Amino acid sequence: MRRDIGGWHSPRLNKWMDIVSYGHYGPALLLFPTAAADFLEYERFQLIDALRPFIDAGKLKVYSINSINTESWMNNQMNPRHKAERQEAFNHYIYDEVVPFIFNDCGGHTPIILSGASFGALHSANIFFKRPDLFWGLIAMSGDYQLHSYTKGYSDDLTFFNSPLSYLPGWNDHYIIDQLKQKEIVLATGQGNHEKPSAAIELSHVLNAKGIHNHLEVWGHDIHHDWPTWRQMLPHFLGNWFIH
């Protein structure tokens, strides 16, 4: 399996950002780390191994990036407004730098699926819902789609427009809504320890109310907020909804 580590100094974030890619061919899967983790987290916790049949068969190329969560929502020393501005810069790093990098690495405008677990689910969903024109679909696992848990009571326009459950109910951009109606959206959650199934259920209801088809799966009480869950979920949803 091809495994390349690269990166560049991001002008949006003004820092070096690493990226790792796995595989040679196929549509692209872009992974967002959990919490304060790094670009090799999915490899360390053997999720890349779980995707290896798709990668080795030339049906999928996987990319994983660094988070900046310790420079935003998880940095208790930062001014809340600066946290929100850092989040917005990260969004544009994805749109303006990572997406062109993937297209270049794939030799053209390949379909891109966004995915992540836990805090990575929030990032992947938020970035997907704002720019569905850039992406094929979304697989969000075990996410909380509201930033309130991390803002400690602070609220402004940037926190509002980075919390999908805040901005989506009133979203009236018909171009974006029409784009979302053409995409594959999977919202997955367990009901075990530290899972929050109500978040995925609420997000699914918001999308349904706008006529945006989505596939909601709420797995059992034995499905916990942990890596065995995500190693099971991601190959399952890729195989059933994206890659045949």
Side-chain angles (χ1 to χ4, degrees):
M1 175 175 65
R2 167 188 177 247
R3 175 185 181 271
D4 286 344
I5 292 178
W8 59 89
H9 185 88
S10 165
R12 300 297 183 281
L13 296 170
N14 193 27
K15 65 176 293 186
W16 181 269
M17 292 293 286
D18 294 296
I19 188 168
V20 60
S21 56
Y22 308 90
H24 290 90
Y25 307 106
L29 173 69
L30 175 58
L31 296 173
F32 293 78
T34 69
D38 66 4
F39 71 114
L40 293 175
E41 178 191 37
Y42 286 101
E43 180 179 324
R44 284 196 304 275
F45 286 95
Q46 300 161 346
L47 191 139
I48 298 301
D49 287 339
L51 300 178
R52 188 160 189 148
F54 297 117
I55 298 170
D56 287 347
K59 295 182 177 181
L60 186 69
K61 292 181 74 171
V62 180
Y63 298 84
S64 184
I65 56 174
N66 268 330
S67 76
I68 50 96
N69 296 328
T70 56
E71 302 171 22
S72 56
W73 308 114
M74 294 184 174
N75 185 336
N76 293 328
Q77 308 307 313
M78 285 183 74
N79 178 286
R81 177 65 183 185
H82 295 162
K83 294 182 182 184
E85 290 171 348
R86 197 66 174 155
Q87 173 67 56
E88 195 67 14
F90 180 76
N91 296 346
H92 286 281
Y93 157 72
I94 301 298
Y95 302 138
D96 302 335
E97 299 179 42
V98 175
V99 168
F101 171 84
I102 291 174
F103 287 161
N104 182 68
D105 190 55
C106 292
H109 282 59
T110 190
I112 301 175
I113 307 158
L114 300 186
S115 187
S118 191
F119 208 163
L122 170 60
H123 278 308
S124 60
N126 180 47
I127 284 168
F128 173 79
F129 290 136
K130 290 181 172 186
R131 289 294 308 272
D133 56 307
L134 293 176
F135 308 110
W136 177 18
L138 169 71
I139 303 174
M141 304 178 293
S142 304
D144 184 351
Y145 305 100
Q146 188 67 271
L147 271 175
H148 293 166
S149 305
Y150 306 98
T151 59
K152 301 186 185 304
Y154 177 80
S155 180
D156 67 10
D157 57 329
L158 290 185
T159 60
F160 181 86
F161 284 108
N162 281 290
S163 299
L165 283 175
S166 293
Y167 65 77
L168 279 175
W171 200 262
N172 293 313
D173 187 317
H174 296 294
Y175 173 78
I176 289 182
I177 291 172
D178 288 345
Q179 285 280 328
L180 289 171
K181 288 178 179 179
Q182 302 172 42
K183 307 298 179 176
E184 294 286 353
I185 301 171
V186 175
L187 306 175
T189 182
Q191 299 180 76
N193 295 338
H194 308 295
E195 286 285 76
K196 190 178 180 181
S198 61
I201 294 168
E202 183 180 357
L203 180 55
S204 179
H205 287 166
V206 168
L207 295 174
N208 288 335
K210 295 191 173 297
I212 299 168
H213 174 74
N214 61 95
H215 183 68
L216 171 68
E217 284 211 14
V218 180
W219 290 13
H221 292 278
D222 59 333
I223 303 299
H224 307 302
H225 195 88
D226 205 353
W227 288 99
T229 291
W230 305 323
R231 286 195 295 265
Q232 183 179 357
M233 280 181 170
L234 191 51
H236 170 79
F237 292 119
L238 283 168
N240 281 278
W241 292 92
F242 293 92
I243 299 170
H244 306 287

